[in-house]
Amino acid sequence: MEKLLISGGKPLKGEVRISGAKNSVLPILAASLLSDEEVIIGNVPHLQDVTTTISLLTEMGATLSIDEKMKVSINSSSMKSFYAPYEMVKTMRASILVLGPLLAHFGIAKVSLPGGCAIGSRPVNLHIEGLKAMGANIKVEDGYIIAKAKRLKGAKISLPIATVTGTENLMMAATLASGKTVIKNAAKEPEIIDLANCLRLMGASIEGDGTSDITIIGVKKLSGCNYDVLPDRIETATFLVAAAITKGNLTLTHTRPDTIKVIINKLRKAGAQILIKNDSINIEVKSQLNAVNIITNPYPDFPTDMQAQFIALNSISKGKSKVVESVFENRFMHVQELVRMGADIEINGNTAIIKGVKGLTGAPVMATDLRASASLILAGLVAKGETIVDRIYHIDRGYECIEEKLTKIGASIKRLPQ
Ligand code: UD1
């Protein structure tokens, strides 16, 4: 397995261009299954999860091409199968996003249940229940969701949890259903708005995205479109923390500062100087930051996808801090690895208590999931000596050209072959 070798201690300086958002491009790629016409998607990040989704769509028979700028064109009028096998879904849970579009457009879908993952059990019962409420006939057999429907019917769906991909699956399914669908307690993430913007360009009638009540009036068919995905707010925030943890000075371009207000506020509270322009952010950190308390929750609150990176930052900040993980049940796998690098962190249920230390020391560490990998790389960037992060395939799922981007701003980081 490939590893990353990092020699820590260099302040990061310069400019980073932020890539398109992983959590936007995955549902938008799935949305192309709702139309018989060509859907062209721009600002697509070069990520393993994108490659997996593209393979899934082509395996099902969609016609797909990618140009040198990673503009992806998809035409699903040539679809032959409506099947997402376990081998693909297990490597990328977001494969579940094809369920709603397949059912709404083709009336049939067989999608593997994702099963558990490193950060918790992560069921998809709410996706299934919502589609059933829209009239789908769904059974779960041998680990597969087998779904059929003539034409889905609009329904009122109240989600007990504001699930992100659940909201996206139901919103996509409702675009081709007959009548009106109302999703109550919908997720409000910027990626939901991004998907809705793309679906509207395809001719869908959607209102209320970005609030907890989304209303969709179904139409008979959707057209093709040409759409650029939103910049990645988690990549943006991870680079802000990279500047903060190394006491650097970075300008992040092609981003959307309005999608990470909560992160910017936390970093300012910690003592970072942050300047915002339309689509760029400059961060400068001159001295050790103060630790900040965090409670993760759905948007617009603090994102669970930034919890691991802030634990790394807090571990070398001044004072004691408390980080509460409220979204996933088992998302502290990075903590034991950070402790091996000299961090002082105790876990009590869903709470991490962190006592800031003067510095971290390099060590061989193991990445367990995507954001945990980011947190270990951040720790490696500031640690004394060499850190080797193993199982780096996780990072390639969600961060485009991570070592190239970090090298350009002064980090000493290199990929070691298997
Ligand atoms: C999405 C993001 C992921 C992020 C997460 C939370 C994508 C591709 N992934 O994941 O990066 O960490 O949102 O912001 O956008 N739940 C149920 N039943 C369901 C669905 C969810 O109980 O049917 C629970 C989950 O176990 C979890 C909570 O709801 O505790 C939130 O999960 P959810 O919003 O669904 O996460 P994802 O959409 O999988």
Side-chain angles (χ1 to χ4, degrees), residues 232-242 259-260 262-264 266-267 292 294-297 301-314 323-325 327-328 331-332 334 369-372 374-375 378 399:
D232 197 308
R233 65 193 162 99
I234 303 301
E235 187 197 22
T236 309
T238 302
F239 275 100
L240 289 177
V241 175
T259 60
I260 53 161
V262 67
I263 303 285
I264 290 170
K266 281 286 170 199
L267 288 169
V292 281
I294 285 161
I295 304 179
T296 68
N297 261 316
D301 286 344
F302 193 96
T304 172
D305 284 350
M306 282 306 297
Q307 177 258 100
Q309 299 88 320
F310 265 77
I311 288 195
L313 178 61
N314 274 352
V323 173
V324 181
E325 172 55 56
V327 179
F328 290 113
R331 207 175 193 177
F332 282 135
H334 42 285
D369 68 67
L370 170 58
R371 307 304 170 186
S375 121
L378 292 168
Y399 289 87

Side-chain angles (χ1 to χ4, degrees), residues 240-402:
L240 289 177
V241 175
I245 208 165
T246 63
K247 299 198 197 93
N249 185 337
L250 288 182
T251 300
L252 312 180
T253 68
H254 299 81
T255 188
R256 277 271 305 271
D258 59 309
T259 60
I260 53 161
K261 284 187 190 148
V262 67
I263 303 285
I264 290 170
N265 290 343
K266 281 286 170 199
L267 288 169
R268 280 187 171 146
K269 194 169 172 217
Q273 284 175 33
I274 298 183
L275 279 175
I276 297 171
K277 286 195 187 144
N278 294 340
D279 67 349
S280 77
I281 308 176
N282 172 263
I283 175 166
E284 184 170 15
V285 172
K286 291 187 178 137
S287 55
Q288 193 185 22
L289 293 181
N290 298 310
V292 281
N293 292 332
I294 285 161
I295 304 179
T296 68
N297 261 316
Y299 193 83
D301 286 344
F302 193 96
T304 172
D305 284 350
M306 282 306 297
Q307 177 258 100
Q309 299 88 320
F310 265 77
I311 288 195
L313 178 61
N314 274 352
S315 72
I316 58 141
S317 296
K318 271 184 267 177
K320 187 171 161 181
S321 57
K322 197 160 114 175
V323 173
V324 181
E325 172 55 56
S326 313
V327 179
F328 290 113
E329 64 202 28
N330 185 25
R331 207 175 193 177
F332 282 135
M333 308 281 276
H334 42 285
V335 164
Q336 283 320 309
E337 301 301 296
L338 292 171
V339 167
R340 296 184 54 252
M341 297 176 73
D344 182 347
I345 311 172
E346 260 179 49
I347 302 288
N348 190 352
N350 70 344
T351 303
I353 308 285
I354 305 133
K355 288 186 197 139
V357 294
K358 285 240 161 66
L360 298 175
T361 46
V365 288
M366 182 90 83
T368 47
D369 68 67
L370 170 58
R371 307 304 170 186
S373 325
S375 121
L376 298 176
I377 292 174
L378 292 168
L381 289 171
V382 69
K384 198 167 169 214
E386 287 190 341
T387 297
I388 295 178
V389 186
D390 199 354
R391 301 216 174 151
I392 207 64
Y393 60 87
H394 290 292
I395 200 92
D396 296 329
R397 289 190 37 225
Y399 289 87
E400 185 175 47
C401 303
I402 183 87

